[in-house]
Amino acid sequence: MTRTGEQYLDALRDGREVWLDGEPVKNVTRHRAFRNTARSIAHLYDLTHDPAHLDTLTVQTEDGTRIHRAFQIPRDHDDLVARRRAFKLWSEASYGFLGRSPDYMAAGIAGFTALPQVFAGTAFDGRDNLAAYHRRMSTGDLYQAFTITNPQIDRTRTASEQEENDLYLRVVKEQDGGIVVRGAKMIGTAAIFGDEVIVGTIEPLAPQDVEYALSFSVPLDTPGVRFVSRTSYEAGARSVFDNPLSSRFDENDALLVCHDVFVPWERVLVYRDVEASLRQWWATPAYNNFVHQAATRFWTKLEFLAGLAILIAKSNNTYQLPPVQTQLGRLLGWVNVARSMLIAAETEYEQVDGGVGGVMINPEIASAHRAMAGDIYPKALAEVKLLAGGGLIQLPASGYDLRHPDLGPVLAKYVRSPGHPAEARIKLLKLAWDALGSEFASRHEQYERFYHGAPHVYLPAIVRDGRPDLCERLAQHCLDGYELDQSPYDSW
Ligand SMILES: Cc1cc2nc3c(=O)[nH]c(=O)nc-3n(C[C@H](O)[C@H](O)[C@H](O)COP(=O)(O)OP(=O)(O)OC[C@H]3O[C@@H](n4cnc5c(N)ncnc54)[C@H](O)[C@@H]3O)c2cc1C
């Protein structure tokens, strides 16, 4: 059975070590930097218990247990469509601003499980652990965070060449029943809201980096596991009215630091294996499954931005102006590009070769999607800002000014537009600023550009995997079809 929101919140009160502004956070469900977002995530869990959404969000396993659809290994196109519907429902609950809702990594775990032989490494066979891991996370309906990026210390050196040997997280020793790890990983998005964190490395490691080539998942309250939070936008929010998104959907990002953390063998998936460490993410459908969730969420977020643009244009009474229609058309075109890529990726799905009989969305379209999304998102923000003009800035510091006996009438007189009294206009533009211009908005722009890796990594990958030969062949065919001396009247 999936968890309720209350059961999820209870699990967060486990003594995990979270630091913010130089102080330990005792209880993330009560702290002003995290409590609203924790409740927003709890709401997602509650949706799985709503009879109207039960079949969209969950699926029954062979033994009768209901699990979230994202944990299921899709077997055909219908399963992919059903999974996308589940992603969409949760995405809409945060308007696309909770990037790492629990379904993201749940789909990744299903991806690992679809090709277990990747975990039969040279130094360690993680297949039984993987099966138990999938069972534990899916039947427990657990929220998996992940930190699979090494800290940005010196990108010209491999893991073992860094100035100190435990800057990037590595195994320091084996002991009875498991291993001890030390070092750091970035960026744990939503990690402090998770039940477990999986640690690994998504980028290639050098052959000499075996101590760094491991992956495991541990509960957040494991002794020695520490999270250092970035600035909290939720804590900086004045009220829900003033900061409607950052006050409720600040999923947080944190540095993971492990100080001699004991990891039992049964929680290890990959161990001292440079090949398996990379293949876990790329040879299994894990990455593709991430994109399936992310593309659904991205489509939702673009719909939201386009919706804001429409409301702003109507509020400014510019909606019918031809140049404004052009801008709206561009935005809505992007919405449909995002939607179409998703549908195409599902329609052109592929079998997972050699696995347990699963399918995945089309890998070429999946990798093109991450390039498209990183490119379009900043442009979409800029387009809506252009439409909004100075009204985005000409706002009272606090919505409560509307209730002030002297200021209220002044705002009512000057901050309005036809059909939009002051409170409605201020409400809309404060929402828009939170989405487009706030610190929260800026973090989202960086997120859409980088959460699937840096462009210098993923763009060359498209040259490698995106069937360049087909494009080259067509251009070459054209070149081969005429000669220097060819008359323009010769047929070709
Ligand atoms: C908001 C946000 C949330 C994230 N959440 C997570 C998460 O939950 N879990 C997780 O594991 N990771 C997460 N990430 C990390 C993300 O995976 C990395 O940002 C991404 O992989 C790029 O790595 P990097 O940031 O170290 O950039 P780098 O690899 O250091 O690259 C930064 C820039 O440096 C230049 N550069 C660096 N190396 C080269 C090179 N060899 N050749 C050419 N140019 C180069 C490029 O201009 C590049 O854009 C998140 C990132 C962001 C921004």
Side-chain angles (χ1 to χ4, degrees):
M1 197 60 198
T2 54
R3 289 187 296 179
T4 62
E6 206 45 55
Q7 286 168 328
Y8 161 69
L9 291 173
D10 271 350
L12 293 182
R13 300 178 195 113
D14 60 359
R16 60 193 55 202
E17 189 179 341
V18 174
W19 288 79
L20 174 75
D21 295 334
E23 287 176 2
V25 173
K26 288 202 181 71
N27 180 345
V28 295
T29 66
R30 288 185 176 275
H31 195 282
R32 67 190 188 90
F34 310 108
R35 62 189 172 202
N36 291 350
T37 304
R39 278 173 46 202
S40 296
I41 298 166
H43 173 63
L44 301 180
Y45 284 102
D46 279 337
L47 286 175
T48 66
H49 290 265
D50 182 335
H53 303 313
L54 183 75
D55 287 332
T56 306
L57 289 172
T58 69
V59 61
Q60 203 153 17
T61 62
E62 278 165 14
D63 67 6
T65 317
R66 274 212 171 259
I67 60 170
H68 192 284
R69 273 198 190 271
F71 284 113
Q72 183 193 27
I73 298 173
R75 307 283 168 176
D76 54 26
H77 179 251
D78 287 352
D79 282 349
L80 289 173
V81 172
R83 187 170 71 179
R84 184 235 304 159
R85 293 202 170 116
F87 290 151
K88 185 80 172 110
L89 210 154
W90 267 15
S91 293
E92 288 186 0
S94 72
Y95 314 101
F97 286 92
L98 286 179
R100 296 289 166 71
S101 44
D103 48 352
Y104 185 96
M105 192 58 218
I109 297 170
F112 302 150
T113 314
L115 199 60
Q117 58 265 45
V118 165
F119 295 81
T122 43
F124 183 80
D125 189 343
R127 284 177 293 182
D128 289 347
N129 289 353
L130 174 69
Y133 167 57
H134 182 244
R135 225 173 9 255
R136 178 175 81 243
M137 301 305 286
S138 59
T139 58
D141 199 23
L142 299 181
Y143 188 172
Q144 174 81 80
F146 66 99
T147 53
I148 54 178
T149 312
N150 287 315
Q152 236 176 359
I153 293 172
D154 184 343
R155 284 283 183 256
T156 63
R157 300 181 191 194
T158 71
S160 51
E161 289 168 357
Q162 299 292 321
E163 269 178 11
E164 291 168 39
N165 59 9
D166 51 10
L167 295 179
Y168 291 7
L169 187 139
R170 72 179 180 116
V171 57
V172 287
K173 65 176 175 183
E174 288 180 16
Q175 68 181 52
D176 273 359
I179 55 174
V180 175
V181 300
R182 187 188 301 157
K185 287 276 177 184
M186 72 180 211
I187 299 176
T189 298
I192 66 155
F193 296 111
D195 295 295
E196 295 195 11
V197 60
I198 185 169
V199 175
T201 305
I202 196 162
E203 300 298 353
L205 290 166
Q208 67 271 26
D209 293 338
V210 281
E211 285 176 2
Y212 302 84
L214 73 163
S215 103
F216 58 86
S217 178
V218 286
L220 268 277
D221 63 348
T222 302
V225 168
R226 167 183 288 194
F227 284 99
V228 185
S229 168
R230 63 150 162 76
T231 302
S232 163
Y233 313 136
E234 181 176 323
R238 298 179 76 116
S239 68
V240 174
F241 185 90
D242 289 306
N243 309 88
L245 300 173
S246 47
S247 62
R248 297 178 298 163
F249 305 116
D250 179 12
E251 61 185 343
N252 194 266
D253 304 279
L255 176 73
L256 166 72
V257 182
C258 288
H259 184 70
D260 289 352
V261 171
F262 174 68
V263 183
W265 283 121
E266 58 271 20
R267 287 184 167 273
V268 178
L269 299 172
V270 170
Y271 185 57
R272 297 180 73 91
D273 189 328
V274 170
E275 291 284 312
S277 159
L278 189 65
R279 285 169 52 77
Q280 166 176 9
W281 306 100
W282 297 108
T284 71
Y287 180 80
N288 266 25
N289 289 0
F290 291 158
V291 177
H292 198 201
Q293 188 269 8
T296 311
R297 182 196 54 75
F298 185 73
W299 165 35
T300 308
K301 206 174 181 183
L302 283 186
E303 284 182 320
F304 177 77
L305 288 184
L308 272 184
I310 292 166
L311 291 174
I312 291 169
K314 287 187 172 172
S315 166
N316 285 350
N317 214 7
T318 57
Y319 183 71
Q320 298 298 349
L321 299 179
V324 170
Q325 290 282 306
T326 308
Q327 285 176 278
L328 292 175
R330 188 171 293 127
L331 277 164
L332 288 164
W334 285 330
V335 170
N336 283 310
V337 166
R339 183 176 73 96
S340 319
M341 285 186 86
L342 189 54
I343 293 170
E346 290 163 0
T347 309
E348 302 220 349
Y349 70 90
E350 290 188 2
Q351 293 291 329
V352 179
D353 280 343
V356 298
V359 300
M360 60 181 172
I361 59 165
N362 183 282
E364 287 143 20
I365 300 176
S367 67
H369 184 279
R370 70 172 171 174
M372 179 279 290
D375 252 9
I376 281 184
Y377 194 72
K379 290 180 187 154
L381 292 180
E383 207 67 51
V384 191
K385 280 186 194 164
L386 268 177
L387 269 171
L392 270 184
I393 307 300
Q394 192 57 83
L395 291 167
S398 160
Y400 291 115
D401 288 354
L402 287 160
R403 304 267 182 268
H404 191 278
D406 295 333
L407 288 180
V410 173
L411 294 171
K413 182 167 179 180
Y414 296 112
V415 187
R416 64 175 181 177
S417 46
H420 290 78
E423 186 170 332
R425 184 168 167 79
I426 292 169
K427 186 178 187 189
L428 170 63
L429 291 173
K430 277 186 175 280
L431 172 63
W433 183 249
D434 220 14
L436 306 170
S438 64
E439 199 175 354
F440 171 85
S442 196
R443 179 264 175 198
H444 271 273
E445 186 175 345
Q446 197 69 350
Y447 180 81
E448 299 298 353
R449 281 185 162 140
F450 275 100
Y451 76 98
H452 270 166
H456 73 271
V457 177
Y458 65 69
L459 291 176
I462 296 179
V463 180
R464 193 187 59 229
D465 305 330
R467 300 208 232 172
D469 50 320
L470 296 186
C471 306
E472 189 182 341
R473 198 176 62 201
L474 192 61
Q476 190 61 50
H477 180 267
C478 181
L479 280 173
D480 293 345
Y482 55 87
E483 303 296 342
L484 179 62
D485 299 329
Q486 186 150 351
S487 146
Y489 304 110
D490 286 351
S491 60
W492 61 83

